[in-house]
Amino acid sequence: MELHDVWFVLIAVLWTGYFFLEGFDFGVGVLTKLLARNRVEKRVLINTIGPVWDGNEVWLLTAGGATFAAFPDWYATLFSGFYLPLLVILVCLIVRGVAFEYRVKRPEENWQRNWETAIFWTSLIPAFLWGVAFGNIVHGVKIDQHFEYVGSLWDLLNPYALLGGLVTLTLFTFHGTVFTALKTVGEIRERARKLATRVGLVTAVLALVFLLWTQVDSGDAKSLVALVVAVAALVAALVANQAGREGWSFALSGVTIVAAVAMLFLTLFPNVMPSSLDADWSLTVTNASSSPYTLKIMTWCAGIATPVVLLYQGWTYWVFRKRIGTQHIAEAAH
């Protein structure tokens, strides 16, 4: 396997990790409107992801940096062609981070309510737009012979990509709902389990249609295996949720995300951005990659730094592993 193939796999792993981790905290952000009935319950939801949301975003930074260094032409075409939706995502992530930190800076109800509304919208919008972006990457976009995007914003809003956005939005919401059931106690935990069933059923229908469309469009035997794993894991997550096994349900919803993202990258390879105008104009792991020397240096750096980052993040989740409920919020307020 060539180094550019290795880095394609590593970038796929980074995006998978990002969607697995950021997926559930996007979902929890959406639940601040769908699940929480009062201000205290909103605080419970926000506190379930409070210690980890910023660490989850490190995966996005790393994926973007790795793409820039390993596949500069991919990075250039992607960020120029998808400039507006990616800018919206970036603004949402900035506002979302500010909302988490500034919400508690003042006691006024309006102040806190406005920041809570910001958390909801800046969780929902990126959850949808990431699906739209990856739907377009996999399906193919208008790239010319100079490897430049020549389409418009409206070309990105095609039925396949919009369906992909709905899939990521509902899947992340389901992932966040089972995470909430895993991390909370009392009435909010029971309501989260019931909501997870409803959201999961909608997710299953949308995901099945989207993944089958992907398989028919550009799939092979490997992607078919990933499709079967994703669907089976989602069904199993629903069953585990009904049985009250929140840990298993969360793990299986995570497997669904991993398998679905793996399927997208399997259908993409060896392309990194297929051209819908001419297959010969597609960006591939070969024509979009950096020099072998650059990839070699990157491989050594990643081999040293990655285990340290994984250990630290794993330790963070272990420290903040306990469940919380409204009684803990009351004690803190008192």
Side-chain angles (χ1 to χ4, degrees):
M1 181 181 286
E2 300 289 337
L3 278 179
H4 50 68
D5 297 330
V6 172
W7 274 96
F8 179 86
V9 174
L10 291 176
I11 289 172
V13 170
L14 289 170
W15 280 110
T16 303
Y18 173 67
F19 288 142
F20 180 95
L21 297 172
E22 188 86 311
F24 71 74
D25 69 49
F26 279 150
V28 172
V30 173
L31 292 180
T32 57
K33 290 286 188 183
L34 299 184
L35 182 65
R37 291 180 175 175
N38 51 53
R39 305 294 307 289
V40 175
E41 290 188 352
K42 287 183 179 180
R43 289 184 63 186
V44 171
L45 291 175
I46 293 171
N47 285 356
T48 61
I49 58 174
V52 297
W53 68 266
D54 48 355
N56 295 342
E57 291 188 356
V58 171
W59 289 77
L60 172 62
L61 299 176
T62 309
T67 303
F68 172 77
F71 300 99
D73 288 341
W74 182 13
Y75 182 93
T77 303
L78 175 64
F79 278 79
S80 60
F82 294 17
Y83 179 79
L84 185 56
L86 292 178
L87 176 62
V88 172
I89 290 174
L90 177 60
V91 171
C92 284
L93 294 180
I94 293 171
V95 173
R96 189 168 180 264
V98 173
F100 281 127
E101 299 298 331
Y102 273 66
R103 177 186 165 277
V104 295
K105 296 300 183 183
R106 289 170 56 178
E108 291 88 348
E109 184 174 344
N110 286 339
W111 170 272
Q112 295 191 1
R113 184 186 298 113
N114 289 338
W115 285 120
E116 289 163 359
T117 301
I119 290 173
F120 169 76
W121 285 110
T122 56
S123 298
L124 184 149
I125 293 172
F128 175 75
L129 288 181
W130 279 127
V132 174
F134 271 83
N136 278 292
I137 292 173
V138 172
H139 199 55
V141 292
K142 294 180 178 179
I143 298 175
D144 65 11
Q145 64 271 29
H146 303 296
F147 303 130
E148 295 179 358
Y149 178 73
V150 293
S152 66
L153 173 64
W154 304 113
D155 292 321
L156 301 179
L157 302 178
N158 56 80
Y160 177 83
L162 292 174
L163 177 59
L166 290 176
V167 170
T168 52
L169 174 58
T170 55
L171 181 55
F172 291 168
T173 303
F174 174 69
H175 196 42
T177 308
V178 295
F179 177 79
T180 299
L182 177 65
K183 287 288 292 179
T184 57
V185 294
E187 183 184 353
I188 193 170
R189 174 189 177 190
E190 297 302 319
R191 294 206 316 272
R193 285 175 51 197
K194 293 178 181 178
L195 181 61
T197 299
R198 297 195 294 271
V199 174
L201 291 173
V202 175
T203 303
V205 174
L206 294 174
L208 181 60
V209 174
F210 178 75
L211 295 179
L212 285 175
W213 189 345
T214 305
Q215 179 65 26
V216 171
D217 189 44
S218 54
D220 56 15
K222 294 179 181 178
S223 62
L224 180 60
V225 172
L227 185 156
V228 172
V229 172
V231 173
L234 183 54
V235 172
L238 283 166
V239 173
N241 177 70
Q242 283 291 98
R245 304 296 297 273
E246 292 100 341
W248 279 104
S249 183
F250 177 72
L252 288 165
S253 69
V255 171
T256 303
I257 293 175
V258 171
V261 177
M263 180 186 177
L264 296 182
F265 277 94
L266 285 170
T267 58
L268 190 60
F269 185 83
N271 295 318
V272 292
M273 281 192 77
S275 172
S276 60
L277 300 178
D278 191 322
D280 292 335
W281 299 343
S282 298
L283 287 165
T284 69
V285 293
T286 303
N287 63 25
S289 69
S290 294
S291 67
Y293 181 74
T294 300
L295 296 178
K296 184 177 180 179
I297 296 298
M298 289 176 59
T299 304
W300 278 105
C301 293
I304 295 172
T306 302
V308 177
V309 174
L310 291 176
L311 286 172
Y312 174 77
Q313 192 163 26
W315 176 76
T316 302
Y317 276 93
W318 175 256
V319 169
F320 295 101
R321 67 189 182 277
K322 293 184 178 180
R323 296 176 183 265
I324 63 173
T326 54
Q327 67 273 24
H328 300 105
I329 301 299
E331 288 175 3
H334 178 72

